[in-house]
Amino acid sequence: MTGSHAFNHAPLEHCPFMPVFGPPAIMFERGRGTELWDTDGKRYLDFLAGIAVVSVGHANPTVAEAVADQAEKLLHVSNFFANPVATEAAVKINGLLREATGHDGQLFFTNSGAESNECAIKLARKHGGRGRHTVVSALGSFHGRTLASLAATGQPEKHEPFAPMPEGFRHVPFGDLDAMRAAVDGTVAAVLIEPIQGEGGVNPASSEYLTGIRELCDEVGALMIVDEIQTGFARTGKWFGFEHAGVAPDVVTLAKAMGNGMPVGACWARTEVAAAFEPGDHGSTYSGTAIACAAVNATLDEMQRIDAPRRAVELGQKIVDGLRGVSGVSDVRGRGLMLGVALADGLDAKRASQELLADGLIVNAVNASTIRLVPPITVSDDEIDEAIEKIAAALANQLAEQARHVTGAES
Ligand code: PLP
């Protein structure tokens, strides 16, 4: 990606971005709710929501106003001092997690999901003590791109270019409790698990699997860390994905939807576990910065106002029902508004997502045969109908082509 690089309508002689992402196809200028407009004025429906981030919609007026007001008052003061906005956000999030786990806890604000997991991994190592620092996670998982969160990520091909990885990480097949049992011994500080693997293909963990991990952690004295970075904040139809299984983790990592697009995350731990950290053990200049926390408060207020968990259940069901009759769809996995649309044999999810983009619907292919749908939780019934029509048309194209090939081969 050196030399001439065309962002639509902005051809650049020299691309100013490091070449870690594929060439961006479209430049977006503005959004509102589920809709986005590119620099040509073309409208799109956004069923990716910035990768499960913009849960209360693009340019949400409540969030926009809170951020603008805060910007006029105070952006940032550092952790030598407190600010009321971070305190309010921490109390709100602890309230939600107290209700979900039955435990009071404490949190550390981060700027991203990877940093939330870094904090959790450091906390687990400090809590475990010397000789007890291993973190066990699942194959197919995604926990971030920093070195430790990447080491926890169960995708060996992503480790390979950066070897050697930090020591102390073990991976087991997702959903296999026996394999987990074999891996969790007295050297294990924590098990780190997603309630639904997002990047790995929208693969839900069963309740038995999560309950089994909880029991196993209790038996050996390891922490159960649940990565709620993609599933958290109502996306799956409950405030947190682990609630579907009725388990109470010791540590919960958060980000994405928490600030509706403001870069902010958190690592929460029940109070006795958080007590393993002492002053100086961890930190970040921007932890709890007022401007990000203003977005968190407004986002959580909006989620509560619209009863986001209930909306996610109802609208998710509408999508599942709508897709059930669509030719080319073989299965719909996931919960609430975190759905993976599995395509019939021979259909190409990447091609479908590209054709859908051209037709004005933003989705992404999480693997060769699965399209992920994670729209804003504010998505409307009409927008869902429009998206399903577009998906049906894109799959019909591929099916027609497949049929022509078969007929061609037979004649
Ligand atoms: N954990 C999970 C489950 C995720 O889905 C992601 C991002 O997709 C991350 C961690 C990393 O978050 P971030 O990209 O904000 O560092």
Short mmCIF file of all heavy atoms in Angstrom, two decimals, residues 51 111-115 117 142-145 194 196 198-199 227-231 255-256 372, ligand 1:
data_model
loop_
_atom_site.label_atom_id
_atom_site.label_comp_id
_atom_site.label_asym_id
_atom_site.label_seq_id
_atom_site.Cartn_x
_atom_site.Cartn_y
_atom_site.Cartn_z
N ILE A 51 -18.06 -2.59 14.10
CA ILE A 51 -17.76 -3.89 14.75
C ILE A 51 -18.36 -3.91 16.16
O ILE A 51 -17.66 -3.90 17.18
CB ILE A 51 -16.26 -4.29 14.76
CG1 ILE A 51 -15.59 -3.96 13.43
CG2 ILE A 51 -16.13 -5.78 15.09
CD1 ILE A 51 -14.14 -4.41 13.30
N ASN A 111 -8.56 2.13 27.26
CA ASN A 111 -8.90 2.84 26.02
C ASN A 111 -9.30 1.90 24.90
O ASN A 111 -9.60 2.34 23.79
CB ASN A 111 -7.69 3.66 25.55
CG ASN A 111 -7.08 4.46 26.67
OD1 ASN A 111 -7.64 5.45 27.09
ND2 ASN A 111 -5.95 4.01 27.19
N SER A 112 -9.28 0.59 25.17
CA SER A 112 -9.60 -0.38 24.11
C SER A 112 -9.84 -1.75 24.74
O SER A 112 -9.51 -1.96 25.93
CB SER A 112 -8.44 -0.50 23.13
OG SER A 112 -7.33 -1.09 23.78
N GLY A 113 -10.35 -2.67 23.93
CA GLY A 113 -10.57 -4.03 24.42
C GLY A 113 -9.28 -4.74 24.76
O GLY A 113 -9.18 -5.42 25.79
N ALA A 114 -8.28 -4.60 23.90
CA ALA A 114 -7.01 -5.29 24.15
C ALA A 114 -6.44 -4.85 25.50
O ALA A 114 -5.94 -5.68 26.28
CB ALA A 114 -6.02 -4.97 23.03
N GLU A 115 -6.53 -3.56 25.79
CA GLU A 115 -6.01 -3.07 27.07
C GLU A 115 -6.84 -3.58 28.25
O GLU A 115 -6.29 -3.76 29.34
CB GLU A 115 -6.02 -1.54 27.08
CG GLU A 115 -4.95 -0.91 26.23
CD GLU A 115 -5.20 0.58 26.11
OE1 GLU A 115 -4.79 1.34 26.99
OE2 GLU A 115 -5.84 0.98 25.13
N ASN A 117 -8.13 -6.54 28.37
CA ASN A 117 -7.61 -7.90 28.60
C ASN A 117 -6.20 -7.87 29.18
O ASN A 117 -5.86 -8.71 30.01
CB ASN A 117 -7.67 -8.71 27.30
CG ASN A 117 -9.09 -9.18 27.00
OD1 ASN A 117 -9.89 -9.39 27.93
ND2 ASN A 117 -9.43 -9.32 25.74
N PHE A 142 -10.69 -14.49 20.16
CA PHE A 142 -10.00 -13.24 19.83
C PHE A 142 -10.02 -12.35 21.06
O PHE A 142 -11.08 -12.05 21.60
CB PHE A 142 -10.66 -12.52 18.65
CG PHE A 142 -9.87 -11.31 18.23
CD1 PHE A 142 -8.73 -11.43 17.46
CD2 PHE A 142 -10.25 -10.04 18.66
CE1 PHE A 142 -7.97 -10.32 17.10
CE2 PHE A 142 -9.49 -8.92 18.31
CZ PHE A 142 -8.35 -9.06 17.53
N HIS A 143 -8.83 -11.96 21.52
CA HIS A 143 -8.76 -11.13 22.73
C HIS A 143 -7.98 -9.84 22.51
O HIS A 143 -7.79 -9.10 23.47
CB HIS A 143 -8.15 -11.95 23.87
CG HIS A 143 -8.98 -13.15 24.23
ND1 HIS A 143 -10.25 -13.04 24.76
CD2 HIS A 143 -8.75 -14.49 24.12
CE1 HIS A 143 -10.76 -14.25 24.97
NE2 HIS A 143 -9.86 -15.15 24.58
N GLY A 144 -7.49 -9.58 21.31
CA GLY A 144 -6.81 -8.31 21.06
C GLY A 144 -5.47 -8.49 20.37
O GLY A 144 -5.03 -9.61 20.09
N ARG A 145 -4.79 -7.36 20.12
CA ARG A 145 -3.58 -7.35 19.29
C ARG A 145 -2.32 -6.94 20.03
O ARG A 145 -1.25 -6.90 19.42
CB ARG A 145 -3.79 -6.38 18.12
CG ARG A 145 -4.96 -6.74 17.22
CD ARG A 145 -4.66 -7.93 16.37
NE ARG A 145 -5.60 -8.02 15.28
CZ ARG A 145 -5.37 -8.68 14.15
NH1 ARG A 145 -4.23 -9.33 13.98
NH2 ARG A 145 -6.27 -8.74 13.21
N GLU A 194 -14.69 -16.08 25.88
CA GLU A 194 -15.79 -15.27 25.33
C GLU A 194 -17.10 -16.06 25.44
O GLU A 194 -17.12 -17.23 25.05
CB GLU A 194 -15.57 -15.00 23.83
CG GLU A 194 -14.43 -14.09 23.47
CD GLU A 194 -14.03 -14.26 22.00
OE1 GLU A 194 -13.22 -15.17 21.71
OE2 GLU A 194 -14.52 -13.52 21.15
N ILE A 196 -19.67 -15.68 23.56
CA ILE A 196 -19.89 -16.01 22.14
C ILE A 196 -18.63 -15.55 21.43
O ILE A 196 -18.27 -14.37 21.50
CB ILE A 196 -21.10 -15.25 21.54
CG1 ILE A 196 -22.40 -15.56 22.29
CG2 ILE A 196 -21.25 -15.59 20.05
CD1 ILE A 196 -23.62 -14.78 21.77
N GLY A 198 -16.75 -13.95 18.83
CA GLY A 198 -17.19 -13.02 17.79
C GLY A 198 -16.37 -13.15 16.53
O GLY A 198 -16.83 -13.66 15.50
N GLU A 199 -15.10 -12.74 16.63
CA GLU A 199 -14.22 -12.78 15.45
C GLU A 199 -14.03 -14.21 14.97
O GLU A 199 -13.77 -14.45 13.80
CB GLU A 199 -12.86 -12.16 15.78
CG GLU A 199 -12.91 -10.73 16.29
CD GLU A 199 -13.72 -9.82 15.40
OE1 GLU A 199 -13.34 -9.65 14.24
OE2 GLU A 199 -14.76 -9.29 15.86
N ASP A 227 -14.52 -12.40 28.68
CA ASP A 227 -14.28 -11.31 27.74
C ASP A 227 -15.62 -10.91 27.14
O ASP A 227 -16.17 -11.59 26.28
CB ASP A 227 -13.30 -11.78 26.65
CG ASP A 227 -12.99 -10.69 25.62
OD1 ASP A 227 -13.80 -9.76 25.47
OD2 ASP A 227 -11.94 -10.79 24.96
N GLU A 228 -16.16 -9.78 27.64
CA GLU A 228 -17.46 -9.27 27.19
C GLU A 228 -17.28 -8.09 26.25
O GLU A 228 -18.19 -7.27 26.10
CB GLU A 228 -18.30 -8.84 28.40
CG GLU A 228 -18.77 -9.98 29.28
CD GLU A 228 -20.05 -10.65 28.75
OE1 GLU A 228 -20.64 -10.13 27.79
OE2 GLU A 228 -20.42 -11.69 29.31
N ILE A 229 -16.11 -8.01 25.64
CA ILE A 229 -15.80 -6.83 24.83
C ILE A 229 -16.77 -6.70 23.66
O ILE A 229 -17.23 -5.61 23.33
CB ILE A 229 -14.31 -6.87 24.42
CG1 ILE A 229 -13.48 -6.57 25.67
CG2 ILE A 229 -13.99 -5.92 23.28
CD1 ILE A 229 -12.05 -7.03 25.64
N GLN A 230 -17.13 -7.83 23.06
CA GLN A 230 -18.08 -7.78 21.94
C GLN A 230 -19.52 -8.08 22.41
O GLN A 230 -20.49 -7.55 21.88
CB GLN A 230 -17.66 -8.77 20.84
CG GLN A 230 -18.41 -8.56 19.57
CD GLN A 230 -17.72 -9.10 18.33
OE1 GLN A 230 -18.38 -9.48 17.38
NE2 GLN A 230 -16.41 -9.13 18.28
N THR A 231 -19.65 -8.95 23.39
CA THR A 231 -20.99 -9.41 23.82
C THR A 231 -21.64 -8.48 24.84
O THR A 231 -22.85 -8.54 25.04
CB THR A 231 -20.88 -10.80 24.45
OG1 THR A 231 -19.79 -10.78 25.39
CG2 THR A 231 -20.63 -11.87 23.41
N ALA A 255 -15.42 -3.15 26.50
CA ALA A 255 -15.00 -2.03 25.62
C ALA A 255 -16.12 -1.80 24.60
O ALA A 255 -17.29 -1.80 24.98
CB ALA A 255 -13.67 -2.31 24.93
N LYS A 256 -15.77 -1.65 23.35
CA LYS A 256 -16.70 -1.50 22.22
C LYS A 256 -17.93 -0.64 22.53
O LYS A 256 -17.83 0.57 22.55
CB LYS A 256 -17.08 -2.88 21.69
CG LYS A 256 -15.90 -3.56 20.94
CD LYS A 256 -16.37 -4.70 20.10
CE LYS A 256 -15.25 -5.47 19.44
NZ LYS A 256 -14.87 -4.98 18.13
N ARG A 372 -21.49 -11.87 9.53
CA ARG A 372 -21.86 -11.41 10.89
C ARG A 372 -22.79 -10.20 10.79
O ARG A 372 -22.52 -9.26 10.05
CB ARG A 372 -20.61 -11.03 11.67
CG ARG A 372 -20.93 -10.36 13.00
CD ARG A 372 -19.71 -10.15 13.86
NE ARG A 372 -18.58 -9.59 13.13
CZ ARG A 372 -17.39 -9.36 13.68
NH1 ARG A 372 -17.17 -9.67 14.94
NH2 ARG A 372 -16.41 -8.85 12.96
N1 PLP B 1 -11.97 -9.18 22.73
C1 PLP B 1 -12.97 -9.41 21.88
C2 PLP B 1 -13.97 -10.49 22.20
C3 PLP B 1 -13.11 -8.66 20.72
O1 PLP B 1 -14.11 -8.91 19.86
C4 PLP B 1 -12.16 -7.65 20.45
C5 PLP B 1 -12.22 -6.86 19.21
O2 PLP B 1 -12.81 -7.25 18.23
C6 PLP B 1 -11.11 -7.44 21.36
C7 PLP B 1 -11.06 -8.22 22.50
C8 PLP B 1 -10.08 -6.38 21.14
O3 PLP B 1 -10.64 -5.11 21.28
P1 PLP B 1 -9.91 -3.83 20.67
O4 PLP B 1 -9.89 -3.98 19.19
O5 PLP B 1 -10.74 -2.66 21.13
O6 PLP B 1 -8.53 -3.79 21.24
#
